[in-house]
Amino acid sequence: MVPATIGLLFLVVPLVGLVVRAPWHTLPERLFSAEIGVALRLSLVCASSATVICLLLGIPLAWLLARADLPGRGLVRALVTVPLVLPPVVGGVALLLVFGRRGLIGQYLYEWFGVSLPFTTAGVVVAEAFVAMPFLVISVEGALRAADPRYEEAAATLGASPWLTFRRVTLPSVLPGVVAGAVLCWARALGEFGATITFAGNFPGETTTMPIAVYLALQTDPDAAIVLSLVLLTVSIGVLAALRERWIRGAM
């Protein structure tokens, strides 16, 4: 019990310190400031957009890892989970080298379509999706491995196409895992900093998300940084708690 209590305190006390040191007397004024509103709105939009991208790409990837007879599946899984342990700044540098105007892919995007991702809002979405997708893939792969494949086999014997089987049988059976993964993915994207500032920079209203705003405010106005941190903490805990009660408990 003692190590567990110490571990709990280690996780909770910093959050309590954030609440205790908050400038409550000026909190309403700061909360309704234009800077916080713009940064919060940008963060929510970008995190949600990144989550949609992760769902579209991550669910098929999870199915491939869980069900397909894929040579070198262990290596593919390792590559998928690399962003979990890769320093976010390194991820941002890698994205620049690939999607920058002179990058491996970015040069063609710019020459052929006039599209430049770095230092744009779209760049924020790409950076957040890059670091957040492994959370979704791992969660959905685990749900797929736990699901009974006999239902899919039965649907196939009744003449259902692979897409119909996936949409009507597989996906509903792993939906709690998909939602849990999407929530973790969204929360990770919302808090992303390193890859975002490296790949998208800091342009107010375009790429300055809440974590970046916290970092900048900490250098000049610590009270503003605390307020921004409280907003992020409240949004994250609120969404995670609400969705956990509705979905994740049913999956356990």
Side-chain angles (χ1 to χ4, degrees):
M1 288 298 295
V2 174
T5 302
I6 294 175
L8 179 62
L9 291 174
F10 177 74
L11 295 174
V12 173
V13 168
L15 304 181
V16 174
L18 189 65
V19 174
V20 171
R21 294 295 301 273
W24 295 105
H25 59 289
T26 61
L27 187 63
E29 177 184 352
R30 293 179 181 273
L31 281 176
F32 291 101
S33 66
E35 293 79 5
I36 290 182
V38 171
L40 179 59
R41 182 167 58 251
L42 180 65
S43 294
L44 294 175
V45 170
C46 290
S48 300
S49 300
T51 302
V52 171
I53 292 175
C54 292
L55 285 169
L56 294 175
L57 302 180
I59 293 177
L61 180 56
W63 183 90
L64 190 70
L65 292 173
R67 296 293 174 82
D69 186 12
L70 182 68
R73 181 164 52 187
L75 176 61
V76 174
R77 184 181 292 108
L79 293 174
V80 169
T81 56
V82 162
L84 289 175
V85 297
L86 189 71
V89 174
V90 177
V93 173
L95 290 172
L96 275 175
L97 295 177
V98 173
F99 294 108
R101 288 191 178 183
R102 297 183 180 180
L104 298 177
I105 297 175
Q107 59 179 322
Y108 300 110
L109 290 176
Y110 185 70
E111 291 176 4
W112 296 348
F113 308 104
V115 174
S116 179
L117 291 177
F119 310 109
T120 63
T121 303
V124 175
V125 175
V126 170
E128 292 181 349
F130 175 77
V131 299
M133 189 181 295
F135 290 89
L136 176 73
V137 173
I138 291 174
S139 178
V140 177
E141 183 189 358
L144 284 168
R145 288 185 177 278
D148 192 342
R150 290 179 296 178
Y151 295 107
E152 300 171 24
E153 296 170 0
T157 58
L158 294 174
S161 65
W163 167 243
L164 181 61
T165 301
F166 177 80
R167 183 166 56 89
R168 299 295 296 274
V169 179
T170 307
L171 193 57
S173 67
V174 300
L175 186 58
V178 172
V179 175
V183 171
L184 293 173
C185 178
W186 185 87
R188 178 64 183 89
L190 186 68
E192 166 51 32
F193 172 77
T196 301
I197 198 170
T198 305
F199 184 61
N202 170 38
F203 296 94
E206 294 187 19
T207 65
T208 304
T209 57
M210 289 288 284
I212 295 176
V214 170
Y215 174 76
L216 296 175
L218 190 61
Q219 303 176 49
T220 58
D221 189 356
D223 285 347
I226 294 174
V227 173
L228 289 164
S229 300
L230 280 176
V231 173
L232 272 178
L233 179 64
T234 302
V235 171
S236 300
I237 291 178
V239 171
L240 287 173
L243 289 181
R244 181 177 180 84
E245 288 297 322
R246 183 176 179 182
W247 293 100
I248 301 180
R249 180 182 294 179
M252 297 178 64

